[in-house]
Amino acid sequence: MAVDTPHAATGRPMDRPDIWGVVVRLTDGPMRALQRMLGERRMPYVFLLPNLAFFTLFVFVPLGLNLWYSLTGGSALFPSQRPYVGLSQYGFLFDCDSMLDASTCREDHFWRGVHNTLFFVAIQVTLMVLFSLVTALVLNRPIRGRGFFRAVYFFPVLLSPVVVALIWKWILQRDGVLNAAVTMLGGHKIIFFVDPGWAMFWAIFVSIWAHMGFYTLILLAGLQAIPKDLYEAAQMDHASPWRTFQRVTLPLLWPNMIVVIVLALIRGVQTFDEVFVLTGGGPGTATLMVVQYIYETAFANQSQNFGLAAAASVVLGVVLFVLTLLQLGFSRRKAGA
Amino acid sequence: MSIATALTLRRGRGRLHWTDLASYAYLLLGVVLMFGPVLWLGLSSFKTQAGLLEFPPSLLPTSQKEISVPGYDKPLPLFTVTLEDGSTKVLAQARRIGLQAQMIDPAEPTKVIRVALDKRVPLRETAFAWSNYTEPLRQFDFLRYLGNSVFVTVVATLITLLINSMAAYALSIYEFPGRNFAMLGIIGTLMIPITIILVPVYLVITWLGLVNNLWAVILPGAATPTGVFLLRQYMLTLPRDLIEAARMDKASEWQIYARIVLPLSLPALAVLAIFSVMWRWNEFLWPLAVLSKSESYTLQIGLNAFQGELQTQWNYLLAMTVITLLPIAVVFVFLQRFIVAGIANTGVK
């Protein structure tokens, strides 16, 4: 393979025997012809084209189609074969005597999903933000081996949800190591995943375990960006540590806190994989989340109820949209202040 | 001094304060809680099927020691036996009859000693059941899943790097009508995760005839707003004189992108490459929806199917989980700095 000579004008060669060099040499002819044909001013559109084509095909078109699906019925996949049914999918989803009680709804699985997800998000986000904050504060102190400890909290973020769920499933199984500890302490074996309360507890616990490192990292970056002289000034003024935390740390960390809270909310609402592999949504529907409902309604059940799944995902999309607006609103206010 | 000291102090004041101790205690608890489960997975993955069924479980993978004794076809299991006179001796068990075992001393294999079952304890040694790792390769489609995952990860990452860097190049180096609109459109897609367009993306894939094809997993996520954003921010900082000089030198726009901007953007490309590898290797919901034939499964989907089918074969399942985890662990150990910096700078994962 050819070794490139340094480019005369730039002096910035890719000075390895590289495949990329060959690719560029082969593609430059056609691209040059294209440039001659379109003119230099239109070249940025050429560079944008592949990306926008992907976005169009896999995001923008589906976004429109999703609405159409939610307004049509039947089990056909192709939109042209689906009869228009108006808002009846939404009507079906929202047909409840009381939205607070899933068993009074016609589509009770959806509402159980909604309730479970809301409960899950409320607890999970609160605890995760709290633990992330404490961990970030501890990691921000002058401790030995900070890099190591940071890595320890962070690494589960990179694990796949399936791996995370299987790790914990193995620990929590009937004859697992946790039950060994329980019996050693004189208790009885607990079969965690047949008890609705325990199943939800572990779903929340495992998802915090898997994700808190990410939020810790963002908060830690925020803490490290706070100028040290502010703390020195506070100390000169004999401000109590608690007051310093309230008046210096918290206000300056607030933008990061908002990012963390909203991101956690947005991700929490979409919770699926870990919980799905860990509990399968069970026992019964005790840990069934909205996304699992959507997935199963569209793909897993025999019914292939694409319309209903699309309607549910439009509802989820609206929730996500509102959360994003919330974030934008907060950051706008911050910019205005 | 109060607990709040722990919250605000940034510099140690010489002596170890109780808040320092509390911090270390918290961190050590964290190490146990975060590392313990993975370590436990690793140790358990080397246990035999029988070893896994033990309760309470032993820490290290163990197996019973065995010995070959002349006159017996199979190696005999060794036990520590408490004899009638109270002394203990290591004996091999020839056979079991009811509540008694016929034991023999390996030193004199002809003499049979009868021992009550409760007087003998299995003699254990640490042993790693490597077969947990080798068997699934032969028995199941594990190697195929692994191949599929590698293919998806590598190809998808290459495509992502190429098309996202092209878009970022256009959006950072040029002024052109519609630039802000394009930027807005791309950032806007951040708000539309695959979870809310699952059905129509499935339709598009069906249109393209790609259901159960690995390209169905690769294509939808190839263009990422995160990637464009990350690369664009970096390219904005590149010196413009270089580009002007190259243009004077009659370099085509494509050459400027490929020979100047791209090589200079390697740090940002590296971060995106790491992210992309993680995303693709770990992706679950979309492949689960679009891959229904086992020959096109990725590792994650295969693993999930396994845990449904092979409830009892935890030994294989655990070993495969370890293999699935390994590439990410390697990436993490070597590239931790980049990942941490990338997340801290962009706030994305």
Side-chain angles (χ1 to χ4, degrees), chain B residues 53-303:
Chain B
L53 290 174
E54 257 175 58
F55 186 87
S58 62
L59 182 65
L60 290 171
T62 58
S63 66
Q64 193 162 9
K65 251 187 170 165
E66 292 181 330
I67 191 169
S68 297
V69 180
Y72 294 88
D73 307 338
K74 287 184 180 172
L76 301 177
L78 282 171
F79 289 84
T80 309
V81 179
T82 312
L83 298 173
E84 278 159 23
D85 57 0
S87 66
T88 58
K89 201 171 182 185
V90 175
L91 297 176
Q93 175 177 287
R95 71 171 66 84
R96 229 185 93 176
I97 304 156
L99 292 173
Q100 284 211 321
Q102 295 185 350
M103 315 288 283
I104 48 172
D105 190 338
E108 29 180 347
T110 48
K111 204 177 115 196
V112 174
I113 309 164
R114 288 171 183 281
V115 179
L117 287 187
D118 58 351
K119 294 288 183 205
R120 77 211 216 308
V121 180
L123 185 65
R124 301 189 156 281
E125 63 180 348
T126 306
F128 291 87
W130 288 101
S131 62
N132 289 347
Y133 285 84
T134 52
E135 274 303 298
L137 297 181
R138 294 200 298 113
Q139 280 189 21
F140 315 108
D141 269 344
F142 186 67
L143 215 52
R144 181 192 285 267
Y145 304 157
L146 189 69
N148 287 347
S149 266
V150 170
F151 178 77
V152 167
T153 304
V154 171
V155 174
T157 298
L158 288 178
I159 296 178
T160 297
L161 288 180
L162 180 71
I163 65 175
N164 286 340
S165 65
M166 283 169 69
Y169 169 69
L171 291 169
S172 59
I173 304 297
Y174 299 96
E175 298 277 350
F176 60 94
R179 188 175 86 156
N180 290 340
F181 183 72
M183 194 68 210
L184 211 67
I186 289 174
I187 298 295
T189 59
L190 259 179
M191 288 197 287
I192 308 156
I194 188 90
T195 33
I196 63 172
I197 46 173
L198 217 48
V199 173
V201 174
Y202 187 81
L203 170 72
V204 172
I205 288 299
T206 311
W207 265 335
L208 297 173
L210 292 176
V211 173
N212 276 319
N213 188 314
L214 290 178
W215 286 98
V217 182
I218 292 171
L219 295 179
T224 77
T226 309
V228 176
F229 184 71
L230 199 140
L231 292 172
R232 177 175 178 265
Q233 293 305 96
Y234 194 86
M235 288 178 183
L236 283 174
T237 64
L238 298 180
R240 295 304 175 93
D241 331 355
L242 274 180
I243 294 159
E244 287 310 318
R247 233 173 239 148
M248 299 278 230
D249 229 32
K250 298 239 162 27
S252 69
E253 301 303 309
W254 176 251
Q255 276 179 323
I256 294 175
Y257 156 77
R259 311 244 72 161
I260 299 171
V261 173
L262 217 50
L264 287 177
S265 305
L266 270 181
L269 285 170
V271 172
L272 179 59
I274 297 169
F275 278 151
S276 171
V277 166
M278 275 161 20
W279 292 331
R280 294 325 188 109
W281 189 261
N282 293 342
E283 200 176 12
F284 184 65
L285 174 59
W286 174 242
L288 186 68
V290 82
L291 303 175
S292 57
K293 287 216 179 85
S294 103
E295 61 264 29
S296 57
Y297 279 177
T298 59
L299 263 185
Q300 311 293 342
I301 309 303
L303 213 53

Side-chain angles (χ1 to χ4, degrees), chain A:
Chain A
M1 219 155 282
V3 180
D4 274 291
T5 49
H7 194 283
T10 64
R12 184 67 179 75
M14 291 261 288
D15 45 8
R16 267 158 285 142
D18 58 343
I19 304 168
W20 183 240
V22 176
V23 171
V24 175
R25 207 163 307 151
L26 287 176
T27 49
D28 190 47
M31 290 304 278
R32 219 175 248 276
L34 197 66
Q35 187 178 337
R36 220 170 297 132
M37 212 166 69
L38 296 171
E40 194 188 302
R41 301 236 317 276
R42 296 209 183 87
M43 281 311 278
Y45 299 107
V46 174
F47 283 101
L48 264 180
L49 190 69
N51 209 290
L52 286 187
F54 271 83
F55 276 134
T56 307
L57 199 55
F58 295 112
V59 181
F60 298 128
V61 168
L63 208 57
L65 280 171
N66 209 26
L67 272 178
W68 175 249
Y69 270 105
S70 73
L71 300 174
T72 56
S75 60
L77 178 63
F78 287 94
S80 55
Q81 298 161 14
R82 298 177 59 84
Y84 180 77
V85 295
L87 290 174
S88 67
Q89 301 281 16
Y90 294 95
F92 184 66
L93 273 187
F94 285 91
D95 186 0
C96 285
D97 288 336
S98 157
M99 284 183 192
L100 296 177
D101 182 0
S103 56
T104 67
C105 299
R106 258 175 81 196
E107 190 58 5
D108 61 328
H109 273 44
F110 173 70
W111 285 98
R112 285 191 204 285
V114 171
H115 291 162
N116 289 339
T117 307
L118 288 178
F119 180 81
F120 176 92
V121 166
I123 311 263
Q124 191 246 17
V125 172
T126 311
L127 290 181
M128 188 161 64
V129 171
L130 212 67
F131 281 124
S132 302
L133 180 63
V134 171
T135 310
L137 287 167
V138 170
L139 285 175
N140 193 39
R141 309 186 79 221
I143 45 169
R144 272 170 213 278
R146 180 197 286 172
F148 168 76
F149 286 118
R150 190 182 60 188
V152 162
Y153 281 93
F154 177 72
F155 86 91
V157 171
L158 307 183
L159 300 181
S160 86
V162 181
V163 167
V164 168
L166 288 178
I167 286 174
W168 283 98
K169 223 174 163 168
W170 173 239
I171 288 173
L172 299 172
Q173 55 125 354
R174 199 170 150 273
D175 297 319
V177 69
L178 191 68
N179 266 327
V182 168
T183 46
M184 223 164 67
L185 295 172
H188 287 287
K189 277 187 193 176
I190 307 166
I191 305 173
F192 292 107
F193 295 124
V194 299
D195 180 290
W198 275 118
M200 183 55 103
F201 172 85
W202 286 113
I204 291 172
F205 178 93
V206 169
S207 83
I208 293 177
W209 183 86
H211 300 297
M212 70 171 274
F214 173 70
Y215 301 98
T216 303
L217 214 58
I218 297 182
L219 291 178
L220 187 59
L223 284 175
Q224 287 173 344
I226 299 177
K228 286 191 190 101
D229 28 334
L230 285 181
Y231 288 103
E232 281 155 21
Q235 211 161 35
M236 298 246 249
D237 289 345
H238 298 290
S240 74
W242 175 245
R243 211 172 157 72
T244 313
F245 176 71
Q246 268 185 315
R247 292 298 169 89
V248 179
T249 310
L250 216 48
L252 287 170
L253 193 61
W254 199 239
N256 292 60
M257 286 290 281
I258 294 291
V259 168
V260 162
I261 292 169
V262 177
L263 269 183
L265 282 174
I266 289 175
R267 299 247 173 88
V269 172
Q270 299 178 67
T271 296
F272 169 71
D273 359 34
E274 284 118 351
V275 180
F276 178 71
V277 181
L278 192 69
T279 68
T285 55
T287 54
L288 177 85
M289 302 287 158
V290 174
V291 172
Q292 187 185 343
Y293 168 81
I294 294 172
Y295 162 72
E296 283 179 347
T297 307
F299 298 105
N301 294 344
Q302 297 304 314
S303 61
Q304 302 224 312
N305 202 333
F306 296 120
L308 200 59
S313 58
V314 169
V315 174
L316 179 64
V318 170
V319 172
L320 290 177
F321 185 67
V322 170
L323 285 175
T324 312
L325 286 187
L326 207 72
Q327 181 185 22
L328 288 178
F330 270 116
S331 48
R332 181 83 34 93
R333 218 172 59 183
K334 191 195 95 209

